[in-house]
Amino acid sequence: MERRNVGILGATGMVGQRFIQLLANHPWFNITWLAASDRSAGKTYADACKWKLDTPLPKHIAQMIVQPNTPEASTTELPRIIFAALDADIARELEPKFAEAGCAVISNSSAFRMTLDVPLVIPEVNAGHLDLIERQATRKTSGGYIVTNPNCSAIGLVLALKPLEDRFGIDSLFVTTMQAISGAGYPGVPSLDILGNVVPFIKNEEEKMQEEVGKLLGSLDGSSVSPLPAKVSAHCNRVAVEDGHTECVSIKLRKPATYEQVIAAWEEFQPLSGKGLDGLHLPTAPLHPVEYDTAVDRPQPRLDRMRGNGMTSTVGRLRPCSIFDWKFVVLSHNTIRGAAGAALLNAEILAVLGKLDFRQFPPLKQPVQVAEAVVKA
């Protein structure tokens, strides 16, 4: 696989920092462009960003100049692949500009997740939905498009649901989340609001989960996705945990399943090495996207969030439910599998499927400074 240049839009935020961390030694992608808001543009990344992760900021990234957050204002060459880590309101304005310019915008934002011709994708779950790219207007002109990954709380849940839907069908489910404070970004939730406390409200979170589960597990029907006809009810809570979203799930299946059959569905779930996708070998994909832990008190965020390098969804405590059929607990890392890692995995499958090959489309317009340098050379 040839190495491709990529950019990060919203590079100074927590998800932007995760992108930098995960891409630092990636075999397929090379960071050449960083952009953020006007208050950061023109500064070195080290000066613009308060680095909050547990690995050092790479020296070459620290020295990069942060660009303005529009394609036409960039003073350095714009790459064709853009990882976007923007708030929804800002993404709604900026992401289409990059798609119009001819970029593949791989978005972590909720702005376009439910748009009919925009794929909402977890590669292990619904890679086939990427065909929606070809229906976007910008794809037919500049070659650009938008692809989204789901909400951080939906991803871990849907990874656990997909093998159950495939084997038994899902009639309805009830989920209560305990979501980490890193999901609110930095500086996030004030300490006096969260320490020793649970906040039983996260704006739009319950609605996102309920909508996105249906689209992710739905079927591609021509130019749109027919949502899974299952009932989903969600309660979302913010808790005093740094990283890792924990979810308690009760589920009613369409066909009966024994304890052993449910466990087998999770343990045998390896779609990226199975029929039709054999040989993808995506660098960020975990060998086991879902792992079941038999301990009576697992999963736990502190102990299990980094399974599969933060890309595995850990399930535990499967037991009968007196209202539905079964109940269990799911844990996933919200800023890796639930954000930057999810978008990176989407980029990897786009590369393998040839969706990052832009040779048939017009080249991107070069910034004036870059074009002048080429002429002088």
Side-chain angles (χ1 to χ4, degrees):
M1 181 67 65
E2 64 176 298
R3 209 149 185 254
R4 294 172 166 88
N5 292 338
V6 302
I8 301 171
L9 186 59
T12 57
M14 288 303 297
V15 176
Q17 292 182 35
R18 280 291 185 196
F19 275 126
I20 289 170
Q21 184 187 55
L22 296 176
L23 286 162
N25 297 301
H26 197 281
W28 295 1
F29 302 121
N30 176 47
I31 300 172
T32 61
W33 188 88
L34 303 172
S37 63
D38 291 343
R39 66 177 178 270
S40 298
K43 299 178 181 178
T44 64
Y45 186 78
D47 289 337
C49 172
K50 189 170 184 179
W51 187 255
K52 301 299 294 181
L53 299 186
D54 56 1
T55 55
L57 172 62
K59 291 181 179 179
H60 70 287
I61 298 293
Q63 297 167 0
M64 290 178 67
I65 301 299
V66 178
Q67 298 297 309
N69 57 12
T70 56
E72 65 273 10
S74 179
T75 61
T76 60
E77 185 175 357
L78 185 67
R80 293 221 74 144
I81 304 164
I82 301 293
F83 292 102
L86 301 171
D87 290 339
D89 290 341
I90 301 171
R92 199 167 286 112
E93 174 189 356
L94 295 183
E95 290 180 358
K97 292 183 178 181
F98 283 86
E100 289 166 7
C103 298
V105 180
I106 303 165
S107 173
N108 184 65
S109 164
S110 64
F112 298 102
R113 286 176 187 155
M114 301 308 294
T115 302
L116 290 180
D117 61 0
V118 174
L120 176 67
V121 173
I122 303 172
E124 295 98 333
V125 172
N126 62 333
H129 291 191
L130 289 169
D131 287 345
L132 287 173
I133 288 169
E134 307 304 332
R135 300 188 174 273
Q136 295 181 29
T138 52
R139 179 63 168 171
K140 299 169 185 176
T141 54
S142 68
Y145 56 83
I146 298 173
V147 170
T148 63
N149 57 264
N151 177 266
C152 53
S153 54
I155 290 182
L157 172 64
V158 170
L159 280 170
L161 295 179
K162 173 63 173 175
L164 304 185
E165 165 60 20
D166 286 349
R167 295 197 182 190
F168 317 112
I170 297 172
D171 178 83
S172 50
L173 64 98
F174 183 92
V175 56
T176 298
T177 72
M178 293 163 278
Q179 296 182 220
I181 55 174
S182 58
Y186 183 86
V189 185
S191 60
L192 290 178
D193 288 343
I194 196 64
L195 291 177
N197 198 24
V198 173
V199 180
F201 174 74
I202 305 172
K203 185 178 179 181
N204 299 327
E205 197 79 359
E206 293 169 358
E207 294 82 359
K208 291 176 188 175
M209 286 194 74
Q210 291 166 179
E211 291 177 340
E212 292 177 20
V213 167
K215 185 172 182 178
L216 287 161
L217 294 173
S219 57
L220 186 61
D221 182 16
S223 60
S224 63
V225 174
S226 297
L228 180 75
K231 299 174 184 177
V232 182
S233 180
H235 284 273
C236 294
N237 307 275
R238 188 75 71 192
V239 298
V241 170
E242 184 180 1
D243 290 306
H245 287 354
T246 304
E247 306 179 37
C248 297
V249 183
S250 290
I251 188 168
K252 181 175 178 58
L253 302 172
R254 295 190 181 277
K255 296 194 302 184
T258 66
Y259 176 91
E260 291 77 14
Q261 288 173 328
V262 172
I263 299 295
W266 285 326
E267 290 181 342
E268 295 166 11
F269 183 61
Q270 292 182 279
L272 294 184
S273 60
K275 183 179 180 181
L277 290 172
D278 190 33
L280 287 185
H281 305 303
L282 307 182
T284 303
L287 180 61
H288 299 284
V290 180
E291 290 186 6
Y292 186 79
D293 195 310
T294 59
V296 295
D297 60 351
R298 302 285 279 276
Q300 297 179 26
R302 184 181 298 168
L303 302 177
D304 299 305
R305 63 192 176 205
M306 287 307 297
R307 291 199 190 199
N309 295 319
M311 292 293 288
T312 289
S313 185
T314 306
V315 186
R317 299 206 66 217
L318 178 67
R319 59 220 191 272
C321 177
S322 58
I323 298 176
F324 289 167
D325 293 327
W326 295 99
K327 53 187 177 180
F328 53 87
V329 179
V330 183
L331 172 77
S332 59
H333 198 302
N334 54 295
T335 64
I336 299 180
R337 182 46 126 162
L344 180 51
L345 189 56
N346 280 349
E348 291 172 358
I349 198 164
L350 286 166
V352 168
L353 296 176
K355 303 292 187 182
L356 298 182
D357 184 349
F358 296 94
R359 286 174 291 185
Q360 69 192 77
F361 296 101
L364 294 180
K365 291 182 179 179
Q366 296 284 352
V368 174
Q369 293 89 336
V370 175
E372 288 177 348
V374 171
V375 171
K376 290 178 182 177

